[in-house]
Amino acid sequence: MKKWKVAILIILASAFVAFAGYILYLFLDNDSVVPGNPVLYHTKDELTDLYWQNKELLNSVKNSVLSSKKFLQALIDYQEGDYDISCQNDKKYFSEEEWTDIVSVFEELHPYMIMMERKGRPLIFYINFDDMKLDSGSKTTELYWFPNEDVLEYHKEANQRYNGEFTQIDEGWYIVEKTYPW
């Protein structure tokens, strides 16, 4: 009977150590752009305020992302139409100064990721945030930069199935609210 109790205690202790290790891994995840940085949902008003507070920084990051030949090559190699910045490994595409600005965006706005998209059209830039769960489905508010009206109209048509609402906040910059059934 004592061997049975010892075996149970060993199993429980192992489970506790594994669980503690997993929790520690989550807190010390060094692959994130900013380790331990929470991803937040922002309302349209909150995101508008964040844009105006960080306008210069956001334009600098947009220009860095859209002009990075290495990042564009990664987009081409990926062949999915868009490519994201969401982990430390993405640092290799940018200069030290550009990466510092990207980290600042993650610290100030708490996005899920920064994206560059092509999908057969001119490059666009957007920042993706956390979803807000609704009674039926979810809602997301994203910050987009469109290079021209044609690309904006293309995205408006493509987002009709998600009940997308586009609100211009500055030259080329829009807040896009999407509601999903899931």
Side-chain angles (χ1 to χ4, degrees):
M1 187 80 161
K2 282 188 171 192
K3 288 182 182 181
W4 183 79
K5 288 180 182 179
V6 169
I8 294 293
L9 285 174
I10 290 172
I11 291 171
L12 288 174
S14 298
F16 177 77
V17 169
F19 181 73
Y22 176 71
I23 296 299
L24 187 61
Y25 166 77
L26 291 177
F27 282 109
L28 297 177
D29 179 13
N30 290 326
D31 196 37
S32 299
V33 172
V34 179
N37 189 34
V39 177
L40 300 176
Y41 169 80
H42 295 292
T43 65
K44 180 168 57 173
D45 290 339
E46 290 170 339
L47 197 50
T48 300
D49 289 344
L50 285 169
Y51 171 79
W52 289 110
Q53 292 168 19
N54 297 284
K55 178 181 176 178
E56 187 177 313
L57 174 65
L58 288 165
N59 278 301
S60 173
V61 169
K62 171 196 55 104
N63 292 337
S64 295
V65 170
L66 295 176
S67 67
S68 171
K69 290 182 171 126
K70 292 177 187 176
F71 195 68
L72 180 58
Q73 188 59 50
L75 170 70
I76 292 166
D77 293 345
Y78 187 58
Q79 298 180 356
E80 290 294 325
D82 56 16
Y83 201 68
D84 69 86
I85 300 166
S86 60
C87 63
Q88 286 288 332
N89 190 42
D90 298 323
K91 185 177 184 177
K92 64 188 174 198
Y93 303 120
F94 303 98
S95 71
E96 203 59 45
E97 181 181 331
E98 291 171 329
W99 186 251
T100 299
D101 285 348
I102 289 168
V103 169
S104 293
V105 167
F106 277 87
E107 291 171 341
E108 297 297 321
L109 280 73
H110 305 283
Y112 178 61
M113 65 182 79
I114 295 173
M115 303 283 294
M116 180 166 63
E117 179 182 306
R118 171 166 271 157
K119 294 185 181 170
R121 305 191 62 80
L123 294 173
I124 65 168
F125 171 87
Y126 68 100
I127 302 175
N128 185 290
F129 298 92
D130 199 12
D131 295 344
M132 177 178 69
K133 299 300 178 203
L134 304 171
D135 290 338
S136 61
S138 62
K139 180 179 182 178
T140 186
T141 307
E142 300 168 331
L143 184 60
Y144 272 81
W145 176 84
F146 296 105
N148 58 51
E149 288 294 320
D150 291 339
V151 177
L152 171 63
E153 290 305 317
Y154 171 81
H155 277 273
K156 283 182 177 180
E157 289 176 24
N159 282 289
Q160 285 179 357
R161 63 184 172 177
Y162 300 120
N163 298 322
E165 182 181 321
F166 292 68
T167 304
Q168 185 171 10
I169 57 173
D170 202 4
E171 184 68 33
W173 288 95
Y174 290 79
I175 292 178
V176 180
E177 298 174 285
K178 300 175 190 173
T179 305
Y180 300 98
W182 55 85

